[in-house]
Amino acid sequence: MPGQQAASKTEPAPVEIRLAHSPDSDDAFMFYALATHKLSTPGYKYTHILSDIQSLNEAALAETYDVTAISFAAYPELRDKYVLLDCGASFGEGYGPIVVSTKAVKGQELAGKRI
């Protein structure tokens, strides 16, 4: 109708969270669901920054990113600037993610299995 303005339905801009991590497979695994939008997080937009751990340590000193991977050696200097997430860590027997099972499983038994 002339003289009437349509009600504007504008969505608030999503909150951007900058996630800095290495391009290694263990970090890729930890952030896969967010990076591929398989996890619904209405109101949030995640920007992934991939870099080597030394560069991430240096960026963390300047508080560059909202969430960042750092080395364990850098944590004492950063503990007042960041809190540790209760998920993720890039260490284990050998290195990287660990498969947790209710029974002992050898690496070759995992071939072809969905994890």
Side-chain angles (χ1 to χ4, degrees), residues 26-73:
D26 52 343
D27 283 3
F29 177 81
M30 285 187 282
F31 293 106
Y32 173 79
L34 291 175
T36 58
H37 308 286
K38 295 199 182 289
L39 180 64
S40 176
T41 57
Y44 294 93
K45 172 189 173 195
Y46 296 94
T47 301
H48 295 264
I49 297 93
L50 305 179
S51 190
D52 66 274
I53 200 66
Q54 182 58 37
S55 297
L56 295 175
N57 286 342
E58 292 168 10
L61 288 169
E63 300 179 53
T64 303
Y65 305 117
D66 303 305
V67 177
T68 186
I70 59 170
S71 68
F72 280 104

Side-chain angles (χ1 to χ4, degrees), residues 1-112:
M1 288 174 101
Q4 289 185 336
Q5 292 182 348
S8 175
K9 290 187 176 183
T10 58
E11 295 286 324
V15 174
E16 180 183 13
I17 297 176
R18 294 166 300 153
L19 297 169
H21 54 87
S22 77
D24 296 340
S25 59
D26 52 343
D27 283 3
F29 177 81
M30 285 187 282
F31 293 106
Y32 173 79
L34 291 175
T36 58
H37 308 286
K38 295 199 182 289
L39 180 64
S40 176
T41 57
Y44 294 93
K45 172 189 173 195
Y46 296 94
T47 301
H48 295 264
I49 297 93
L50 305 179
S51 190
D52 66 274
I53 200 66
Q54 182 58 37
S55 297
L56 295 175
N57 286 342
E58 292 168 10
L61 288 169
E63 300 179 53
T64 303
Y65 305 117
D66 303 305
V67 177
T68 186
I70 59 170
S71 68
F72 280 104
Y75 179 68
E77 193 170 347
L78 295 164
R79 70 176 179 258
D80 294 332
K81 297 181 180 202
Y82 288 92
V83 296
L84 291 178
L85 297 175
D86 60 1
C87 63
S90 301
F91 66 93
E93 269 186 52
Y95 180 80
I98 298 172
V99 175
V100 178
S101 174
T102 57
K103 64 180 179 97
V105 180
K106 294 183 179 172
Q108 55 268 45
E109 293 178 76
L110 297 173

